[in-house]
Amino acid sequence: MAMNPNVVREADERTAALVHSPAFLTVAGALPGLYVATTLENGVAIGVAAAVSIIVSAVLARALSGVTGLFSKAPVVLVLDAMVLILLGFALRVTFPVIFEALGIYLPITSVAGAAAVFAAQDGLTTGAGSKELTLADAVFAAVAACVALVVCGLLGELLGSASVAGVSVGALSSYTISIFGKPTGDLLLLALVAVVVQAVCGRGKDGAAEKEGER
Amino acid sequence: MPSAKSQAAASAKNPGWIAKHRNGAWYTVVLILVVAVVAGGVSAVAHYALTDPFKESDVALEEAKVGAKRTLIFPDSKSWEAVSAPAVDGLNKVWKSDAGDYCFDVQSDGYHGSVELMVGISKDGKVAGIQIISENETEGIGTNALTDDYFATYKDLEADGTLTVEDAQSGQTHVDGVSGATFTSKAVAADVSIAIEAYAQVGGK
């Protein structure tokens, strides 16, 4: 028996509202690189990689929209994004080999961040006539949010987990390290905190704009 | 003169070949294959072109990793130079500091593969410290014999003869093992013994 189209439409609208939220974009962009964001240096490196991945995916999705179809868009954008990140990894290997060694396989895996952002720009699981491309403004927002999230996770994870910042020991905290940080569990907690802050800040911005419009 | 609107309407009625077929299965498969081959080819060409810079960066990475270990064992040493390693089984590399201390990169078999350690022997002929380079021992069992506390039991031992966790024979010195981590304890003792033998061959005792 076919679903009532109104029920389907409401479900799609709820999905679209979820995946278009700033918190979702932040989490989707930061999650693939979270495992290696264990120190400030690694957080900055993988954050930059995630930002590059998201912006490259947005540009590629637009540029290739005339050539790719419903089922080929995601894999084509993912493969080309992964190629860009592999080349970025080569450059990192030549200039900062220690950081490259620390990031390892997670550098090309971060191309998933870009694919997730492109997916989030569409209406979640519905890729029909209502789907749209990721705008450059949204891509820049997602890139900055993912980069900041990973840098914060790296900084706080290193500070709280090993009482040091960028390898420099913070003597006052050395007796109060929390072992959960610097591990994936602690990083997920930090990412959740960053996502909540992002949602609160962006939500406040939208509420402010609505107040200015006034009642209708 | 046809307007833009009528041209758009005309193209909507008569879409191009790509627009007609881009959601099809064959088009999708061929497009993905072509993109994958192109992306793989570009990555392969770039990797080949950067072979020499990669070799230099690998050397710099290796030096950064072991340099950190040497500094932990001998914090006061200012400079190190690589010394020709004698032909000792399990010995990888030897470095000598400006102060006359030695660091040996050694490895022997543990429970799960190789246990590679950096063993420092001071110019006084005593074991100065041990650092882990790589290991794959069982977490919580074998790794109990790879802790700083266990390594501290080797500190200031005379770099003479061989070490053993079993009953010492002539020419051997007994060291305590870690209960439940016999294989790893034996690997650590073997690594330090290799370093002591190499120290004798490079001009130590």
Side-chain angles (χ1 to χ4, degrees):
Chain A
M1 190 172 84
M3 289 275 287
N4 184 313
N6 290 329
V7 172
V8 172
R9 184 172 45 80
E10 280 178 21
D12 288 345
E13 283 171 5
R14 278 198 296 272
T15 305
L18 171 67
V19 299
H20 282 293
S21 66
F24 186 91
L25 273 179
T26 302
V27 169
L31 204 56
L34 193 65
Y35 182 76
V36 289
T38 51
T39 64
L40 178 61
E41 289 169 334
N42 291 353
V44 168
I46 201 70
V48 168
V52 165
S53 166
I54 291 168
I55 291 177
V56 164
S57 289
V59 169
L60 284 174
R62 281 190 171 277
L64 299 173
S65 60
V67 179
T68 52
L70 283 176
F71 306 107
S72 55
K73 176 197 238 175
V76 165
V77 168
L78 189 61
V79 168
L80 291 175
D81 199 15
M83 180 193 76
V84 169
L85 283 175
I86 286 171
L87 297 176
L88 184 70
F90 290 165
L92 197 63
R93 183 176 173 183
V94 172
T95 48
F96 300 105
V98 176
I99 296 179
F100 173 79
E101 173 91 352
L103 298 186
I105 192 73
Y106 285 89
L107 201 50
I109 282 178
T110 311
S111 57
V112 173
V118 169
F119 170 82
Q122 299 170 344
D123 293 330
L125 296 172
T126 60
T127 56
S131 65
K132 51 185 188 265
E133 303 297 347
L134 188 67
T135 65
L136 195 57
D138 281 345
V140 170
F141 168 80
V144 170
C147 186
V148 168
L150 288 166
V151 170
V152 167
C153 288
L155 171 65
L156 290 180
E158 190 180 10
L159 188 64
L160 298 172
S162 57
S164 62
V165 175
V168 178
S169 177
V170 177
L173 288 177
S174 58
S175 307
Y176 303 102
T177 56
I178 306 171
S179 60
I180 195 176
F181 292 106
K183 294 194 177 88
T185 325
D187 290 343
L188 282 169
L189 288 174
L190 290 170
L191 180 61
L193 179 67
V194 171
V196 164
V197 169
V198 167
Q199 183 69 27
V201 167
C202 295
R204 193 188 300 173
K206 277 189 190 162
D207 290 344
E211 276 177 17
K212 278 184 185 170
E213 258 184 59
E215 288 187 6
R216 287 188 176 171
Chain B
M1 182 99 151
S3 67
K5 249 193 204 171
S6 62
Q7 277 181 343
S11 70
K13 277 187 189 172
N14 298 309
W17 187 90
I18 290 180
K20 259 196 230 175
H21 293 93
R22 65 183 180 181
N23 291 329
W26 281 110
Y27 182 91
T28 301
V29 166
V30 170
L31 178 65
I32 293 171
L33 275 176
V34 166
V35 167
V37 167
V38 167
V42 168
S43 304
V45 167
H47 190 276
Y48 179 74
L50 290 170
T51 307
D52 290 338
F54 283 167
K55 279 187 188 154
E56 290 170 14
S57 72
D58 288 345
V59 168
L61 175 66
E62 189 67 28
E63 184 56 30
K65 277 158 68 172
V66 297
K69 306 292 178 191
R70 289 196 304 254
T71 305
L72 286 170
I73 298 172
F74 295 106
D76 297 329
S77 290
K78 292 181 180 50
S79 66
W80 292 86
E81 63 165 337
V83 169
S84 171
V88 176
D89 250 351
L91 177 68
N92 295 327
K93 285 184 184 157
V94 182
W95 295 270
K96 185 178 178 183
S97 77
D98 52 329
D101 304 314
Y102 282 91
C103 272
F104 301 91
D105 178 347
V106 291
Q107 68 184 63
S108 59
D109 291 334
Y111 191 74
H112 283 299
S114 193
V115 175
E116 188 177 358
L117 303 177
M118 177 77 73
V119 178
I121 298 181
S122 67
K123 61 180 182 282
D124 304 327
K126 293 186 180 177
V127 176
I130 305 173
Q131 290 289 325
I132 301 169
I133 296 179
S134 72
E135 52 86 12
N136 202 23
E137 303 301 270
T138 314
E139 185 69 35
I141 303 175
T143 55
N144 290 341
L146 295 171
T147 60
D148 288 340
D149 287 340
Y150 181 61
F151 289 161
T153 63
Y154 287 81
K155 196 168 159 59
D156 294 331
L157 282 178
E158 290 291 331
D160 201 8
T162 55
L163 305 179
T164 179
V165 297
E166 289 156 356
D167 293 333
Q169 308 295 323
S170 167
Q172 292 182 329
T173 304
H174 173 79
V175 289
D176 291 333
V178 173
S179 175
T182 310
F183 280 92
T184 313
S185 303
K186 283 183 178 175
V188 174
D191 279 344
V192 179
S193 299
I194 292 167
I196 290 171
E197 185 183 344
Y199 178 69
Q201 294 203 19
V202 295
K205 286 187 185 172

